[in-house]
Amino acid sequence: MNTRLLITAFLMMPALHVAAATDLYRFDVPEEIPAAKSGLLEIGPSNPDGPVWDCTSRYMTLDGKPFMPVMGEFHFSRYPAAEWDEELAKMKAGGIDIVSTYLFWIHHEEEEGVFDFSGQRDIRRFVELCQKNGLYVWLRPGPWCHAEVRNGGFPDWLRGKFGLKEDEPLYRGKRDGIRSNSPQYLELVEKLFGAYGEQCKGLMAKDGGPVIGVQVENEYRDEGPGLGTEHLEKLIEIARKHGFNVPFFSVTGWMNAPIPEKICLPMFDGYPAAPWNGNTKKLPPRPVYRFDLERGASDTGADLYATASKASKRDLSAYPLMTCEIGVGNQVTAHRRPWVGTLDGVVPAFTRLGIGAGSVGYYVYHGGTNPDGEFSTLQESRATGYYNDYPVKSYDFEAAIRESGRIDEKYYYLRKMHSFMHDFGELLAPTVAILPDRAPEKNEDFSMARMSLRTDGRLGFLFVNNHVRGYEQPARENVQVAVGIGGREILVPSEPITIPSSAYFVWPVNLPMDGATLLYATAQPQLVLNNGNGKTYVFAQTITEKAEYVFDAGTVLGKRARYSVEPGLDSAFLVKTRSGDVIRILTLTAEQALQALTVDDGLILQEISAPVKIGTPGVEPVGENEWSIRCCDLPSGALLRIAYTGNVAELYLGDRLIYDNFYNGEVFEVGLDRYAEELKMQSLTLRISPLPESIGVYLDVTRPSENPVLESVELVVD
């Protein structure tokens, strides 16, 4: 794991040139920022015994208080049921509040009239385990889902019912057919939602269950009679009829999608790469690395439509900026295979938070593996009329928790941000985002620093990002920010600083702290501890060796209002306020901040370590580009890591394909627990196909030679 290297890079700043001109950015905060509006949306029932759910124009509320939830996508039908409980516990520990999950029609009714809710298709057990782990649930029952599933989740038998040929894609259909209010389609939806409703009976929030939200459809932008909002409203009506009476309904809001007024929350997206793009060249910078204040600027799903979506003219002022598909990584396609690094996958969520997001929702937070189908494989492919070929089995998505179950380095960086959202959310949620007097207007503009300020007119949080995937950013020297707020101007910091390449951080401005006012700090707010020893504010080191805290002298007792602190566990200092309170401030090192989590209002540091090698399995060549791999007597949690070059690596157990991998430079890593008993009796077979020049593919790494090379095979535990 290269956590230490990333942190060191942030702190190795070039020396300041005193004579150089200050690169000044100015925020002029309006004297009055209107409060968020309430009562604009129709909210479904909560449990009479609580908690009570509601939503304003900027944020959700939980029992009347601002709530900034973190939502993580995890597809239960793409993961072994025996491992759900452990994986959900990892998600909870990572700061996830809500688990979102698709219900794939083709996974549950592959044969018409025959529903399967057994094993890893058991919706009810999965939702119950979410509740056991303290997680809320947001169901996404489609009926069309996409999610790189065969036919977008539609079962093959729909083709015959709607007169579609074998090579016609099942995602748009005919105007009087699928994804519309045609009686034939709605009759099928009634049966499907009825089956789902039976499985989820008693699990809605109003009944004391964890299900607080339901998304209908996905990436839907059709308009016309029986389409658009008419169709979405009908789906919601059917869902409610079959028991899905939840506080919130939602739709995906990108591509200028129709939004049923007042009854739906539009949710938005942002991905670090675009593997659905049809070409095999390097793409321009992605919009998620810029603070753009545009919630619907997305090309997600653009491969599904012949024309690009027009600029949005929708009035979204009644809705908070909610996200459901912020990519921590991307799923590779046969022709585009991005390798999304740690900061590549962390910064998109950070910038969405910086432009005013009231929630952060990841797609996907936990990777998976496509199950076996009864009649076909279950991945999206060009053979079914779609535009991309995906792995038959792998749905790793370069997620925070990988397909193998291993916790990725991104997990810890995201957890730090989640802690900030949870502990400072009541202050952050009501704010709006503004840009400085100078800001890039295009994704390709690297001539200036990228920043935003979230403010309610009294306090602020300064968001800064100097990382763009695929485009190394220069160090920004002699930067200083002037914030006009509350009738005063605050220079942040007091002397110009250098923002290193790839740095990103949040600094507080004019922050109230129990009677004291922190004018600014060059450290990032992370946690608030409330125990018998009083309140402790925990900050994280950012880009300076020492953290600077500057208080309004009129709000603290004593002569000292400025502190320069060497980060570490012994860095705590006390500040006495004029209101009579005493606050304690602790500054963690950048490394400690990644390790930090709270347990029973206490701070603990969790050791972060790389997977440990436990052995080398027996590997024997058995044919051209084919090897036998012997793994037996495996400890729990064993992972198989295969370093190779080539096109596609496939791993078989007997004649059954269990894992595959499109080469993109990363190690091919798989979990073995689910096959431990079978592996005592038989070996795995690895096959790697060549990558000839005739196959057009984009790679972030140097394209390997045509002939496959097996470099190493090892067993590790995380």
Side-chain angles (χ1 to χ4, degrees):
M1 201 175 267
N2 60 351
T3 304
R4 190 182 301 273
L5 293 176
L6 282 170
I7 292 169
T8 303
F10 285 173
L11 299 177
M12 293 180 62
M13 299 187 303
L16 291 175
H17 300 290
V18 178
T22 300
D23 187 13
L24 184 67
Y25 298 81
R26 182 177 299 278
F27 289 93
D28 291 314
V29 177
E31 290 185 8
E32 184 175 341
I33 294 176
K37 295 179 180 180
S38 301
L40 301 179
L41 304 176
E42 296 178 14
I43 308 299
S46 298
N47 190 304
D49 298 325
V52 177
W53 296 91
D54 208 337
C55 193
T56 74
S57 58
R58 289 186 201 147
Y59 52 87
M60 295 171 67
T61 65
L62 187 58
D63 286 333
K65 295 182 179 180
F67 179 52
M68 299 189 78
V70 181
M71 184 160 66
E73 187 94 4
F74 180 26
H75 299 154
F76 62 92
S77 58
R78 280 172 158 158
Y79 218 77
E83 300 174 31
W84 287 346
D85 194 24
E86 180 182 356
E87 301 310 302
L88 289 168
K90 292 176 187 175
M91 293 180 70
K92 180 67 176 179
I96 297 298
D97 303 298
I98 305 169
V99 174
S100 55
T101 190
Y102 278 122
L103 311 183
F104 298 119
W105 193 349
I106 194 172
H107 286 194
H108 297 291
E109 195 187 5
E110 193 174 358
E111 180 180 353
E112 185 178 5
V114 180
F115 284 95
D116 185 357
F117 297 112
S118 64
Q120 71 181 68
R121 292 169 167 83
D122 189 341
I123 299 171
R124 185 173 191 86
R125 179 167 177 265
F126 180 77
V127 174
E128 289 174 340
L129 285 174
C130 287
Q131 186 167 32
K132 174 195 169 190
N133 283 280
L135 294 158
Y136 298 110
V137 175
W138 205 290
L139 296 175
R140 305 173 83 184
W144 190 83
C145 300
H146 198 189
E148 294 72 60
V149 174
R150 183 180 177 90
N151 306 321
F154 280 158
D156 282 11
W157 51 263
L158 282 183
R159 275 198 173 84
K161 289 187 175 293
F162 292 94
L164 294 171
K165 299 176 182 178
E166 280 293 319
D167 58 351
E168 287 188 88
L170 262 174
Y171 63 83
R172 299 192 72 188
K174 298 182 177 179
R175 289 296 180 182
D176 59 347
I178 60 173
R179 301 179 81 183
S180 77
N181 282 353
S182 73
Q184 184 184 18
Y185 181 66
L186 293 182
E187 182 182 356
L188 295 169
V189 174
E190 286 272 6
K191 293 178 182 177
L192 178 68
F193 281 15
Y196 288 161
E198 282 297 314
Q199 294 297 310
C200 296
K201 186 177 293 185
L203 297 178
M204 303 302 111
K206 69 181 181 64
D207 304 313
V211 181
I212 63 167
V214 170
Q215 175 190 304
V216 294
E217 255 292 341
N218 190 63
E219 297 171 352
Y220 185 78
R221 68 180 247 204
D222 287 340
E223 296 281 6
L227 301 168
T229 55
E230 287 184 33
H231 179 52
L232 296 172
E233 288 170 359
K234 189 64 179 179
L235 292 178
I236 292 171
E237 178 188 321
I238 295 172
R240 284 177 172 153
K241 174 182 174 181
H242 292 288
F244 293 100
N245 200 0
V246 291
F248 307 107
F249 279 91
S250 65
V251 293
T252 51
W254 55 92
M255 297 195 302
N256 208 12
I259 303 167
E261 289 187 14
K262 295 186 178 181
I263 64 173
C264 261
L265 288 170
M267 292 197 174
F268 295 89
D269 70 324
Y271 284 94
W276 53 82
N277 188 289
N279 74 51
T280 55
K281 298 179 181 178
K282 183 174 181 177
L283 298 178
R286 301 288 294 161
V288 289
Y289 298 101
R290 182 169 64 88
F291 300 103
D292 55 10
L293 303 188
E294 173 56 59
R295 62 176 74 182
S298 168
D299 61 352
T300 307
D303 51 322
L304 303 175
Y305 290 88
T307 59
S309 57
K310 298 178 181 178
S312 175
K313 295 182 180 179
R314 301 167 299 177
D315 180 6
L316 300 175
S317 60
Y319 308 104
L321 171 51
M322 310 286 283
T323 64
C324 63
E325 288 199 22
I326 302 298
V328 179
N330 274 96
Q331 180 67 356
V332 297
T333 58
H335 66 284
R336 291 198 70 86
R337 306 180 187 184
W339 182 349
V340 178
T342 298
L343 297 186
D344 298 342
V346 171
V347 168
F350 175 82
T351 61
R352 299 311 88 187
L353 194 62
I355 66 169
S359 73
V360 169
Y362 300 107
Y363 189 93
V364 295
Y365 186 81
H366 196 308
T369 307
N370 289 322
D372 294 329
E374 185 70 25
F375 307 116
S376 68
T377 58
L378 295 176
Q379 86 287 6
E380 177 182 323
S381 69
R382 290 177 175 174
T384 56
Y386 281 65
Y387 289 91
N388 300 297
D389 281 320
Y390 286 94
V392 172
K393 300 296 293 182
S394 176
Y395 202 67
D396 177 72
F397 224 93
E398 304 171 313
I401 305 176
R402 306 301 290 262
E403 175 183 14
S404 64
R406 178 178 60 82
I407 292 176
D408 192 84
E409 186 177 51
K410 299 168 187 172
Y411 175 99
Y412 302 104
Y413 281 81
L414 293 171
R415 184 176 68 181
K416 183 177 78 168
M417 186 180 75
H418 302 160
S419 296
F420 165 61
M421 292 174 63
H422 290 148
D423 286 17
F424 290 86
E426 287 192 32
L427 296 174
L428 180 64
T431 62
V432 299
I434 62 174
L435 298 181
D437 58 340
R438 295 184 294 125
E441 295 184 0
K442 296 182 178 180
N443 302 330
E444 299 86 352
D445 185 354
F446 303 142
S447 65
M448 63 191 82
R450 298 174 172 215
M451 60 183 69
S452 70
L453 184 74
R454 286 193 64 164
T455 179
D456 63 359
R458 301 174 298 107
L459 60 85
F461 293 95
L462 177 66
F463 286 74
V464 179
N465 173 46
N466 199 27
H467 180 83
V468 180
R469 181 180 182 274
Y471 295 85
E472 185 176 357
Q473 297 300 291
R476 310 287 177 182
E477 299 188 4
N478 297 301
V479 173
Q480 198 170 30
V481 180
V483 181
I485 188 170
R488 72 168 99 196
E489 182 174 272
I490 303 173
L491 281 178
V492 183
S494 56
E495 298 292 333
I497 46 89
T498 294
I499 303 171
S501 177
S502 284
Y504 73 101
F505 54 87
V506 182
W507 287 350
V509 179
N510 219 40
L511 183 70
M513 300 176 72
D514 300 310
T517 299
L518 179 63
L519 295 180
Y520 73 84
T522 59
Q524 179 166 318
Q526 182 165 346
L527 296 164
V528 180
L529 305 177
N530 257 314
N531 50 40
N533 299 321
K535 186 178 290 187
T536 300
Y537 290 89
V538 180
F539 286 73
Q541 179 187 29
T542 56
I543 62 172
T544 58
E545 291 186 8
K546 291 186 176 182
E548 183 182 23
Y549 297 86
V550 179
F551 288 88
D552 180 341
T555 64
V556 297
L557 292 175
K559 298 181 180 179
R560 191 174 183 185
R562 184 184 300 268
Y563 298 82
S564 181
V565 179
E566 186 84 37
L569 293 177
D570 58 353
S571 67
F573 65 93
L574 301 178
V575 177
K576 295 182 179 180
T577 74
R578 290 200 178 274
S579 62
D581 292 312
V582 177
I583 57 176
R584 186 171 185 262
I585 295 177
L586 175 67
T587 311
L588 300 178
T589 66
E591 185 173 5
Q592 290 167 347
L594 296 178
Q595 301 170 331
L597 66 158
T598 55
V599 176
D600 298 328
D601 287 325
L603 176 69
I604 66 171
L605 299 183
Q606 176 188 24
E607 182 180 356
I608 301 173
S609 58
V612 177
K613 182 177 178 179
I614 58 171
T616 302
V619 179
E620 296 289 341
V622 292
E624 185 177 9
N625 303 325
E626 186 173 331
W627 296 263
S628 171
I629 301 175
R630 181 69 174 157
C631 304
C632 56
D633 299 323
L634 296 169
S636 176
L639 307 178
L640 182 67
R641 306 190 81 187
I642 301 168
Y644 77 98
T645 61
N647 184 16
V648 179
E650 297 178 322
L651 202 58
Y652 289 83
L653 187 56
D655 59 0
R656 178 166 43 118
L657 177 66
I658 59 171
Y659 293 114
D660 58 354
N661 178 267
F662 286 3
Y663 175 79
N664 73 340
E666 269 203 288
V667 170
F668 178 21
E669 178 184 86
V670 300
L672 297 178
D673 277 359
R674 65 201 69 169
Y675 300 111
E677 289 302 313
E678 293 175 83
L679 289 172
K680 291 178 181 179
M681 306 299 295
Q682 58 183 317
S683 298
L684 296 165
T685 300
L686 172 67
R687 296 170 187 160
I688 305 175
S689 62
L691 184 60
E693 288 296 328
S694 59
I695 296 178
V697 60
Y698 173 80
L699 294 167
D700 286 326
V701 297
T702 302
R703 185 183 178 113
S705 59
E706 175 178 340
N707 294 324
V709 176
L710 179 59
E711 297 173 347
S712 66
V713 182
E714 62 181 21
L715 291 166
V716 303
V717 290
D718 194 17

